[in-house]
Amino acid sequence: MSSKEELFLLIRRDSWREGLSVRALARKYGVHRRLVREALCSAVPPPRRTPRRHSPRLEPFKETIDQWLLDDLEALPKQRHTVQRILARLQQELGAEIAYSTVWDYVHRRRQEIAGAAPSVGFVIRHNQPGMDAEVDFGEAWVDLAGERTKCYLFAFRLAYSGKAVHRITASCGQKAFLDGHVHAFRTLGGISAGQIRYDNLSPAVTRVIRKSRAREEHPRWHDFRQHYSITPFYCEPGLRGAHEKGGVEGQVGYWRRNYLTPVPRVDSLDELNDAFAAFEQAEENRRIGVRIRTIGQDFAHEAPLLLPLPGEAFETGLAFTPRVDRYGMVAIRVCRYSVPVRYIGRTVHVLLRSNEVVVHGRTEIARHPRLTTKGAERLVLDHFLEVLLAKPGALAGSEALGQARRAGTFTPAHEAFWFAAKHALGESDGTKALVHVLLLHRHLQHRDVVAGITAALAAGACTADVVALEARKAAETEGRSPTVTVTVPLPEPGAPPELPLPSLTERRTAHLPPDQRPLPALERWDQLLHHRPGRDPR
C-alpha cells in the first residue's frame, strides 16, 4: 500500500470516528482541504495525471514518425527503429533540429498507442487432405563436428495431414542441400505429395519475387527438378505473414532442435547424425499432435498409399565439374582442394559436388570425400600418394596426408610401432618403404585384418609386408570370413571354422624338399664372439 493510500484511510477513519471537519483534518495531517475532500469521496487516490507537453518543433514530423512506427510492425524485431535512429533520420533526411528527449517522449507514447490500436490477427484452421499438401523449411542448428562447434542447417519436409516429417542436416543451405533434402524425403516417404508443397522464397528456388503477387521467377535448376518430380509449389508471402502460411513446418524445426539437438550433439560426421535421425523419426510416429486421437504413424499409414509414385530415374542433384589434377594429386572445387590417386596427375577428371560429399570419377569412381566448407581447406587421403612415397620415402614423415590420417585414426599406433621397428631393423629409407608396402595392403584387405597382421608380425619380430599379409589373412580366416575388402561370395556364419585351413608359408615352400637329416650345428665356439674386444685376436 502506498503512503497516499494510507493517508486517505487515516483521514476517512478520523472523519468517521471523531467527526472532525474538513478544516480540522487538513490541519491535523498538514494537507490541503481539497485533498481531504478527495479522500472523503473515495478511498482510492485518483491516478496521477501526466502533463502532455506541446512540441511545436516536432509537430511537422509527427506523421512521418507514425508511419515509421507502423512499418516497424512488419519488420524484424532486431531491425526496427530506435529513438536514436529516428532522430538521426529526421536530421539527415528532413533537416530537423530537435532534442533527443523530445523525440523520446513522443516515440515512447506513440509506440504504445500504435501497438495497442493494431487490429488483432485472426487465424483460420486449414483442412488438410491425406496425401496432398506438404511444407518445407530450413533452420539453423549447431553441432560439435569432429570436436569443433559448427553451424549447420536442418532441412525439414513435413506432410500436412499426418504430420510425418523427414529431416536432413547439412553443412550449408544452398541449392544442392535443398535438392538433396527433397530426394531424401521422397525416398523415405515412398512417394511425392499430390497437392501443393509450401515454401518460403528461398534463393535455391526463387530468384525474384514479383511484387504484390504470388508469381515468382524460379531458378532454372529448381524448375527442372520440380518438373522431374511433378512438384506443385506454393510460395508464401515474404516476412512474418508468410511464416503463418506454413506454420506446421515452422514449429517442426523448433521442436526438432529442442528435443533431438539439445544438448548440442557430438559427432564425427554429419552422416552419423543423419543416420541417428532415422531412429528419431521412427520414434516420432508414436506421438500424437495436439488433441488428435490418432498418432502420426497411424495417420501416415492412411496417407502413404495416396502419395504419387517416384519417377523411374533419380535426379542428379550434384553440380558437375571437370577439373585437371595438379602435380600434387589434388583437384580444386569451390576454393577447396581434394586428393585423388597420383596416377591421375595431369588428367581431367569428372567431379560431382553434392551437399555433403564430393565424388571424383575417371572411368569409374576413384575418390569420395566429405564436402569441405572452409575456404582454402584441403582433404588428403594417404592411400592416394603411396606410389610416390615408394620413390620418395623421406617425404612421408612430414606429409600433410600422414597428419590427416593420424587425426582420422586410420594410421593407428600399430602402424607407428611397425614403422619404428622397420626403421630400426632396415634403416630409415628401407623401413619407410616397408611401411608403405604394408599400407598398400589396405587396398585389398580389411583394415582390422591388416592391423591384426601388423600386431602378429611385430610379435614374431618380422618387419616385412609378406608376413603382415599372411597374418592378416590368418586373422580373417580364424573368424570364418573373407579377408578381402570386396566380398563377392556369401560369408560363412561367424564362429564357423574355415573350409580350407591356411598352410604355413614356410611349409609350402619346403614341401617338395626331402627331409633334412643333418645334425644341429654346435654353437659353443660362437659364444666367444660376444666377449671379443677390438684390437685383440679372439684365437
Side-chain angles (χ1 to χ4, degrees):
M1 183 180 295
S2 65
S3 60
K4 194 171 184 180
E5 291 178 351
E6 294 176 355
L7 177 61
F8 271 41
L9 290 177
L10 292 174
I11 293 173
R12 292 171 64 87
R13 185 194 63 183
D14 291 347
S15 175
W16 173 63
R17 287 183 178 179
E18 302 178 11
L20 297 178
S21 64
V22 173
R23 185 182 297 273
L25 290 171
R27 187 181 303 113
K28 180 178 180 179
Y29 291 104
V31 295
H32 198 278
R33 294 189 299 273
R34 182 172 55 252
L35 182 63
V36 175
R37 293 189 181 94
E38 291 179 357
L40 296 176
C41 293
S42 173
V44 180
R48 183 177 180 179
R49 290 179 294 180
T50 303
R52 180 169 295 184
R53 299 184 180 91
H54 296 282
S55 51
R57 290 192 177 185
L58 186 64
E59 196 66 34
F61 310 106
K62 287 183 177 180
E63 292 185 4
T64 303
I65 296 175
D66 289 348
Q67 185 60 46
W68 292 346
L69 295 178
L70 285 171
D71 294 340
D72 279 351
L73 296 177
E74 297 292 333
L76 296 173
K78 294 184 179 180
Q79 291 181 254
R80 294 176 181 174
H81 284 83
T82 62
V83 176
Q84 183 62 42
R85 179 55 182 159
I86 291 176
L87 178 61
R89 290 190 64 182
L90 291 175
Q91 292 173 347
Q92 296 171 5
E93 300 177 13
L94 304 176
E97 295 182 0
I98 310 171
Y100 176 86
S101 59
T102 302
V103 179
W104 188 93
D105 290 339
Y106 182 76
V107 170
H108 179 70
R109 176 175 56 84
R110 288 296 291 159
R111 182 169 281 161
Q112 295 177 351
E113 294 173 354
I114 290 175
S120 59
V121 179
F123 297 92
V124 179
I125 298 177
R126 179 179 175 82
H127 174 67
N128 298 303
Q129 298 180 1
M132 295 299 292
D133 294 346
E135 301 167 338
V136 171
D137 196 17
F138 262 117
E140 296 178 359
W142 289 89
V143 177
D144 286 339
L145 184 60
E148 182 178 353
R149 184 64 56 89
T150 306
K151 182 180 180 180
C152 301
Y153 297 89
L154 179 66
F155 174 89
F157 185 100
R158 183 180 184 273
L159 295 176
Y161 173 77
S162 63
K164 171 70 174 177
V166 181
H167 306 82
R168 193 81 174 165
I169 194 161
T170 57
S172 71
C173 58
Q175 189 177 68
K176 291 171 289 300
F178 183 66
L179 301 182
D180 282 343
H182 279 80
V183 174
H184 172 70
F186 295 154
R187 289 175 179 172
T188 303
L189 298 173
I192 306 168
S193 302
Q196 296 177 335
I197 302 181
R198 296 173 174 263
Y199 298 94
D200 283 332
N201 300 284
L202 300 169
S203 58
V206 175
T207 58
R208 190 168 74 91
V209 177
I210 308 300
R211 187 182 179 187
K212 296 182 179 181
S213 72
R214 292 284 184 177
R216 303 290 188 268
E217 288 187 5
E218 296 181 336
H219 193 285
R221 187 167 177 79
W222 162 245
H223 178 78
D224 295 340
F225 179 87
R226 72 175 187 82
Q227 291 289 339
H228 181 82
Y229 285 100
S230 302
I231 294 174
T232 303
F234 177 88
Y235 299 108
C236 301
E237 293 187 32
L240 184 61
R241 296 182 63 179
H244 295 303
E245 294 182 336
K246 56 180 185 64
V249 75
E250 292 280 350
Q252 180 68 30
V253 172
Y255 172 84
W256 200 259
R257 272 197 301 253
R258 292 188 299 271
N259 290 274
Y260 297 105
L261 295 176
T262 302
V264 176
R266 298 179 179 180
V267 293
D268 294 328
S269 66
L270 292 181
D271 290 337
E272 178 183 344
L273 186 56
N274 282 320
D275 292 340
F277 279 2
F280 299 156
E281 291 163 357
Q282 187 68 28
E284 279 291 301
E285 292 191 356
N286 298 322
R287 181 172 66 91
R288 288 179 173 84
I289 299 176
V291 295
R292 294 186 183 182
I293 300 176
R294 295 178 298 274
T295 64
I296 293 176
Q298 291 170 340
D299 281 338
F300 178 66
H302 174 61
E303 186 174 26
L306 303 178
L307 299 174
L308 297 178
L310 296 174
E313 296 182 0
F315 187 91
E316 178 52 62
T317 60
L319 291 180
F321 298 88
T322 54
R324 183 178 295 274
V325 182
D326 62 18
R327 59 179 180 174
Y328 300 104
M330 308 281 285
V331 291
I333 304 295
R334 291 284 178 88
V335 301
C336 296
R337 303 210 308 161
Y338 305 87
S339 67
V340 299
V342 292
R343 64 180 180 273
Y344 290 93
I345 289 179
R347 295 170 58 180
T348 300
V349 294
H350 299 276
V351 178
L352 280 177
L353 178 65
R354 294 174 178 158
S355 59
N356 284 339
E357 64 179 0
V358 174
V359 184
V360 186
H361 291 269
R363 291 185 177 178
T364 58
E365 181 180 319
I366 60 176
R368 184 182 293 263
H369 300 275
R371 183 181 176 182
L372 303 175
T373 57
T374 305
K375 183 177 181 180
E378 295 180 341
R379 169 76 177 179
L380 294 88
V381 177
L382 182 59
D383 180 76
H384 293 165
F385 304 94
L386 295 181
E387 288 82 0
V388 173
L389 293 174
L390 281 176
K392 300 179 179 180
L396 175 61
S399 64
E400 174 63 19
L402 177 61
Q404 292 194 14
R406 282 171 171 162
R407 292 191 292 271
T410 56
F411 195 85
T412 64
H415 293 86
E416 300 277 7
F418 182 90
W419 192 12
F420 177 82
K423 289 191 293 185
H424 186 267
L426 306 175
E428 188 78 23
S429 178
D430 291 339
T432 302
K433 288 182 179 180
L435 173 66
V436 174
H437 282 293
V438 170
L439 295 175
L440 286 168
L441 296 176
H442 286 283
R443 296 182 178 178
H444 311 288
L445 303 176
Q446 295 187 20
H447 184 273
R448 58 174 175 169
D449 294 336
V450 175
V451 173
I454 292 174
T455 304
L458 290 175
C463 298
T464 62
D466 290 340
V467 176
V468 173
L470 177 63
E471 296 295 338
R473 293 182 179 276
K474 282 185 178 181
E477 295 290 348
T478 301
E479 297 181 5
R481 54 183 174 79
S482 173
T484 55
V485 174
T486 304
V487 180
T488 56
V489 295
L491 292 176
E493 292 296 327
E499 297 180 3
L500 295 176
L502 188 66
S504 170
L505 182 61
T506 303
E507 294 176 359
R508 182 178 178 181
R509 290 177 175 176
T510 60
H512 64 284
L513 298 178
D516 191 358
Q517 303 294 336
R518 294 175 296 177
L520 295 176
L523 304 178
E524 291 82 4
R525 298 185 61 183
W526 291 95
D527 291 342
Q528 299 177 14
L529 296 176
L530 299 176
H531 308 288
H532 170 62
R533 297 180 179 178
R536 296 182 58 184
D537 190 350
R539 296 175 295 180

